[in-house]
Every structure is written in structure tokens, then in C-alpha cells.
Amino acid sequence: MTSYEEVAQVAQQFTAFYYKTFDEDRASLRSLYRGDSMLTFENQSILGVDAIMEKLSVREPQVPFSISFECYAGTLKSYAFAVSYWPLLKQNLSFQKIVHGVVTTDVQPSNNAGGILVMVTGAIKADDEDRLLNYSQTFQLLPNGAGSYYVFNDLFKLILM
């Protein structure tokens, strides 16, 4: 990369492709990762393309579920809870549909080998949820040797307030 404008153009193209692909066909993200790629998703670090794709794969939500607990009156009762699927993100992504809205994209050259650091902020809407969830995601892209880039590092964090 010889200029900031070229780096920024690659980052914008990557970001548009990544989120469009994530929203429409997550399995196609496989081509962006390699064996040495690492994803940190909500404090859980995952190494390698197969493990990353397993994490990003669609799983049915595990809700509702029931738990039992003893009440103060001494009777044992069972209650059913419809639990939000966001705590399940530590397993696999359980939502079927998602839409990413990118708000900002910041970019810097990241090393002498031609890497690119991309930081994205935005909001996501999952399934039929009414609320939007803010997120931050940072990628380190490295040249793949064939004139393109792959995701070496990917850090994702929901911003819950």
C-alpha cells in the first residue's frame, strides 16, 4: 500500500463485503479466514477458520426453558422464562436473521507487510427484535499473497448500556 486513500478504499470494500455476506450467507465468510485467524467474540477467543465458522454458524435459540426454585413460602414451583438469546452468544450465534448498520469505519496501515487495521462501529438488528444493539468490531487484515486480504484478527463486542 502506498497511500492512505488506497488503504481506506480496501477497508471500505472489505467492510461492505463482510457485513453484506454476514447478513445474507454467513457460511460464505469462510473464505475470509485462515488457520491462523483469531476471533474474539464477547471475551471468548477462537483460533482457526473451522472454529470461527462453528462460532458464527446459525443455531436454534435454546428458549424458552424452565427452572425450578424454592419460594419463601416453602413451596417448590416451576416457572418458564423466555430468555433473551444474547447470553447464548458464548456458544453459537442463535439468531436466524441479522442486519448490520455500519455507522463509522476507521482505518490505519497496521504493519510493514501491508496489513490494514479496520475499526467499525454500528448497530445490529437480530431476528424480529425491536431494539437495535450497538457494537464495535475491529479487524486486522493481512495480505493473502494472491493480491487480496484475509482476516488475521477479528474482535467483536456488543456495547450494552
Side-chain angles (χ1 to χ4, degrees):
M1 290 284 141
T2 58
S3 73
Y4 175 78
E5 290 77 21
E6 291 173 324
V7 171
Q9 183 179 17
V10 169
Q12 290 294 340
Q13 291 171 348
F14 167 79
T15 302
F17 177 80
Y18 181 89
Y19 291 115
K20 181 178 182 353
T21 304
F22 195 108
D23 294 352
E24 296 175 1
D25 181 18
R26 271 184 249 173
S28 294
L29 292 173
R30 175 176 281 281
S31 65
L32 297 177
Y33 295 95
R34 301 288 183 268
D36 61 347
S37 297
M38 179 170 271
L39 166 67
T40 299
F41 192 94
E42 290 296 316
N43 300 323
Q44 180 187 19
S45 293
I46 301 148
L47 178 64
V49 64
D50 292 334
I52 290 169
M53 294 313 300
E54 176 65 22
K55 176 66 177 179
L56 298 180
S57 67
V58 176
R59 295 286 186 254
E60 291 296 322
Q62 305 295 314
V63 295
F65 71 93
S66 64
I67 61 171
S68 297
F69 60 92
E70 190 170 329
C71 295
Y72 288 108
T75 61
L76 192 63
K77 297 187 177 184
S78 179
Y79 294 90
F81 294 91
V83 176
S84 170
Y85 46 77
W86 293 109
L88 299 174
L89 291 176
K90 293 196 182 290
Q91 300 163 13
N92 294 83
L93 306 186
S94 58
F95 43 82
Q96 301 294 315
K97 298 181 298 184
I98 189 164
V99 177
H100 288 83
V102 173
V103 176
T104 66
T105 303
D106 294 310
V107 59
Q108 293 182 356
S110 66
N111 58 41
N112 293 335
I116 301 173
L117 191 63
V118 183
M119 181 178 168
V120 178
T121 63
I124 56 176
K125 181 173 174 24
D127 291 332
D128 295 323
E129 287 281 317
D130 290 331
R131 68 181 178 151
L132 296 174
L133 295 171
N134 294 323
Y135 72 93
S136 174
Q137 191 162 15
T138 302
F139 301 96
Q140 177 164 268
L141 308 177
L142 293 183
N144 67 3
S148 191
Y149 293 84
Y150 75 98
V151 178
F152 182 66
N153 300 106
D154 179 351
L155 297 99
F156 178 88
K157 189 68 131 176
L158 286 174
I159 302 169
L160 303 174
M161 295 195 230

